[in-house]
Amino acid sequence: MDREEEEEVLVLNQPLLPEPSTGNSTPEDLPRKSLPSRVWIETKKLWRIVGPAIVSRLAGYTMTVITQAFAGHLGDNELAAFSIVNNVILGFSFGLLLGMASALETLCGQAFGAKRYPMLGIYLQRSWIVLFICCVVLSPVYIYASPILKLIGQTDEVAELSEVVSLWILPMHFSYAIMFPLQRFLQSQLKNFVTLWMSVVVLVFHALISWIFVYVLDFGLVGAAVTLDISWWLLCFMMLVYVTCGWCPLSWAGLSMEAFSGLWEFVKLSAASGVMLCLEFWYYRVLILMTGFLSDATLAVDALSVCMTVNGWELMIHLGFLAGVGVRVANELGAGNGPGAKFATKVAVAESSFISLFFCVLIIALHDKFAYIFTSSTTVLQAVDHLSYLLAVTILLNGVQPVLSGVAVGSGWQAWVAYVNLFCYYIVGLPLGIVLAWVADYGVLGLWSGMILGGTLIQTVILAIITARRDWENEALTAGRRVKKWSTPDNQTEG
């Protein structure tokens, strides 16, 4: 163990070298250690990625929560308008762009494990090109938010307020094209603490300017939206400076025309990643949209938006696990270590599930109190209380489903997971929710419960079965072939 600890210290001091697992934990080494020792070693490797990823994602999401809280105290219509923009308009592009950027988790993670460092910068530039084009294509959704929302059943007042917010928040939408690839580029090199501290600094800054814009300068809902633009672009600029000004010397060699070569293959992998994750993100956005067709739609949207915001807040923890297990699995497969990838999956699922169980119990205990964060309206508080147990079940499922998606990202299975998501969410879950809401007349309670039982639960079970039955030795061979396919001779640096 003394030699192993010395090797761990060397790795921590050399962040651009592979993780200990890629150099130390060979398939032959694993059976020689006791199970508690293997779990502890894997936990340290995993949390080196997961810990900073959770903090940075919580910080980013909390900026939106802060803005929603300020909007909620301006009035119920303002809360509904910002919630719809956040959960539907912004959520629509967020899910797709985040998913498309996750292609870098597969490519950069496996290239890093195989020591093909120069290719990381090329992948980053390709992702910028693809995501920026996607942002341009999605812009009309923001520009024509009011007629779109009216078409799907939102009230005129809420739809028009939502359009005002969506227009002012459009610059934030374009920041995603730069931000998401940068996050994954740094994450794959184990530079998570950089994004952690930047995110915390920007979070504090965001809280301050939100108070100034909304209350001191009295800019109202527009001021709340503008603070998000400023904060996200500040974070984006800080990360861009870090990457391009010498702190990533092995993986960033400047802009290159090679970013335009092999672009179509990159687009296909990005599209598969985008469809896989956006089908998950859109699922609960569809839930909010469908709620607009229920009686007393404003109250239902307010209550459900509060629940979805809390769920999204807690989900950031498990998205940290998604990132962590994605990097761990990709690194191990890139290094040819199938058993290491399998063991990393087991540890991540177990630890994420324990955390989700804790928050599930917490929500049940505070079922009639947690909504005070967002509103002081008695009717909204009562409606949230009525939905709190469904929120607890959703949080419990968060502990497994995102981790399995992370395994898929790290392994490059995005395309077939997209088919699983499409079937479970939109062919089974959504129709079941509609039947329970309108045919059985259970309203928003029936809609949400049907989508959980018919969609999320079934999808989680299917992914768990498929993951458990994978041939991990073959996955390692597949990863090796992928690294060779995507690397050019000039960019292959043997470690």
Side-chain angles (χ1 to χ4, degrees):
M1 289 296 295
D2 291 339
R3 182 181 177 183
E4 205 169 68
E5 289 174 357
E6 290 174 3
E7 291 172 340
E8 289 279 332
V9 171
L10 285 174
V11 170
L12 290 174
N13 289 329
Q14 301 179 56
L16 273 175
L17 292 178
E19 281 193 301
S21 62
T22 62
N24 302 329
S25 299
T26 65
E28 293 77 13
D29 289 336
L30 291 172
R32 298 175 187 172
K33 300 182 176 68
S34 66
L35 180 60
S37 176
R38 290 167 60 196
V39 170
W40 175 242
I41 292 169
E42 178 57 40
T43 296
K44 288 191 293 183
K45 295 174 184 176
L46 182 66
W47 277 89
R48 184 182 172 192
I49 308 164
V50 170
I54 289 173
V55 174
S56 60
R57 281 163 172 75
L58 279 173
Y61 191 78
T62 300
M63 288 194 294
T64 305
V65 173
I66 288 172
T67 305
Q68 181 165 325
F70 275 104
H73 289 286
L74 291 173
D76 288 351
N77 284 329
E78 285 79 1
L79 174 61
F82 185 84
S83 297
I84 288 172
V85 172
N86 181 37
N87 289 289
V88 179
I89 305 296
L90 206 59
F92 177 80
S93 62
F94 182 93
L96 180 60
L97 295 169
L98 182 69
M100 294 181 73
S102 73
L104 288 184
E105 294 184 35
T106 304
L107 296 174
C108 287
Q110 293 182 1
F112 184 71
K115 305 179 185 179
R116 303 287 198 260
Y117 306 129
M119 284 308 299
L120 274 68
I122 303 299
Y123 295 150
L124 173 64
Q125 293 170 59
R126 288 175 183 168
S127 189
W128 280 343
I129 295 167
V130 172
L131 265 66
F132 181 79
I133 294 172
C134 189
C135 280
V136 174
V137 172
L138 292 174
S139 295
V141 176
Y142 290 78
I143 297 170
Y144 300 105
S146 180
I148 292 172
L149 292 172
K150 289 177 183 177
L151 185 64
I152 58 179
Q154 294 299 324
T155 63
D156 289 351
E157 186 173 4
V158 170
E160 288 166 7
L161 271 176
S162 297
E163 185 174 273
V164 171
V165 176
S166 68
L167 288 173
W168 280 99
I169 220 166
L170 186 58
M172 177 180 170
H173 162 70
F174 277 91
S175 74
Y176 291 162
I178 307 298
M179 171 76 68
F180 292 159
L182 282 170
Q183 288 175 332
R184 276 132 196 85
F185 173 79
L186 292 171
Q187 174 183 288
S188 66
Q189 301 172 71
L190 313 180
K191 289 180 172 287
N192 300 67
F193 282 97
V194 174
T195 57
L196 183 156
W197 290 114
M198 290 180 181
S199 298
V200 170
V201 169
V202 174
L203 174 61
V204 174
F205 172 78
H206 179 75
L208 177 62
I209 65 170
S210 294
W211 175 73
I212 292 173
F213 275 51
V214 175
Y215 288 128
V216 177
L217 301 178
D218 197 24
F219 288 160
L221 196 59
V222 170
V226 170
T227 61
L228 281 175
D229 297 332
I230 296 172
S231 298
W232 274 80
W233 273 106
L234 174 62
L235 180 58
C236 190
F237 178 75
M238 292 168 67
M239 296 174 80
L240 194 61
V241 168
Y242 181 87
V243 168
T244 60
C245 292
W247 284 278
C248 298
L250 295 184
S251 55
W252 177 261
L255 298 175
S256 170
M257 291 301 295
E258 191 179 345
F260 292 93
S261 66
L263 201 57
W264 177 241
E265 289 296 322
F266 194 91
V267 168
K268 289 194 289 185
L269 181 60
S270 295
S273 302
V275 171
M276 185 196 86
L277 285 184
C278 75
L279 287 175
E280 298 177 12
F281 273 86
W282 292 350
Y283 190 50
Y284 286 105
R285 272 63 182 182
V286 170
L287 171 59
I288 294 176
L289 283 176
M290 297 300 295
T291 303
F293 291 97
L294 297 170
S295 58
D296 201 2
T298 300
L299 175 61
V301 168
D302 282 350
L304 191 60
S305 296
V306 168
C307 290
M308 288 297 100
T309 299
V310 173
N311 176 62
W313 213 345
E314 196 271 344
L315 183 61
M316 293 302 108
I317 297 174
H318 306 291
L319 289 182
F321 274 94
L322 186 156
V325 75
V327 171
R328 289 290 303 122
V329 167
N331 286 170
E332 296 290 358
L333 293 179
N337 186 4
K342 181 178 181 180
F343 190 70
T345 299
K346 292 179 179 179
V347 172
V349 169
E351 294 181 0
S352 179
S353 298
F354 179 80
I355 292 172
S356 67
L357 179 61
F358 169 79
F359 282 103
C360 174
V361 173
L362 187 64
I363 287 296
I364 292 173
L366 301 175
H367 63 95
D368 58 344
K369 298 179 178 65
F370 67 85
Y372 280 105
I373 298 172
F374 307 98
T375 183
S376 54
S377 170
T378 303
T379 54
V380 175
L381 290 169
Q382 291 174 347
V384 171
D385 185 17
H386 190 56
L387 296 173
S388 60
Y389 292 98
L390 278 177
L391 174 61
V393 173
T394 303
I395 285 175
L396 189 61
L397 291 174
N398 285 347
V400 180
Q401 188 274 333
V403 182
L404 297 179
S405 294
V407 175
V409 168
S411 306
W413 307 340
Q414 289 97 322
W416 64 259
V417 175
Y419 288 113
V420 172
N421 291 350
L422 178 64
F423 172 78
C424 294
Y425 289 152
Y426 298 95
I427 296 178
V428 178
L430 184 57
L432 179 59
I434 291 172
V435 168
L436 291 176
W438 281 277
V439 178
D441 200 25
Y442 285 112
V444 65
L445 192 65
L447 183 61
W448 192 2
S449 60
M451 292 176 72
I452 290 174
L453 298 176
T456 308
L457 181 59
I458 293 177
Q459 184 250 20
T460 302
V461 171
I462 291 175
L463 288 186
I465 292 172
I466 294 175
T467 302
R469 294 172 63 88
R470 300 302 289 188
D471 182 344
W472 288 96
E473 293 287 1
N474 185 58
E475 293 298 328
L477 294 174
T478 302
R481 290 192 294 268
R482 182 182 291 114
V483 170
K484 291 179 181 178
K485 174 184 175 182
W486 286 78
S487 297
T488 60
D490 291 341
N491 285 321
Q492 292 181 8
T493 303
E494 298 294 344

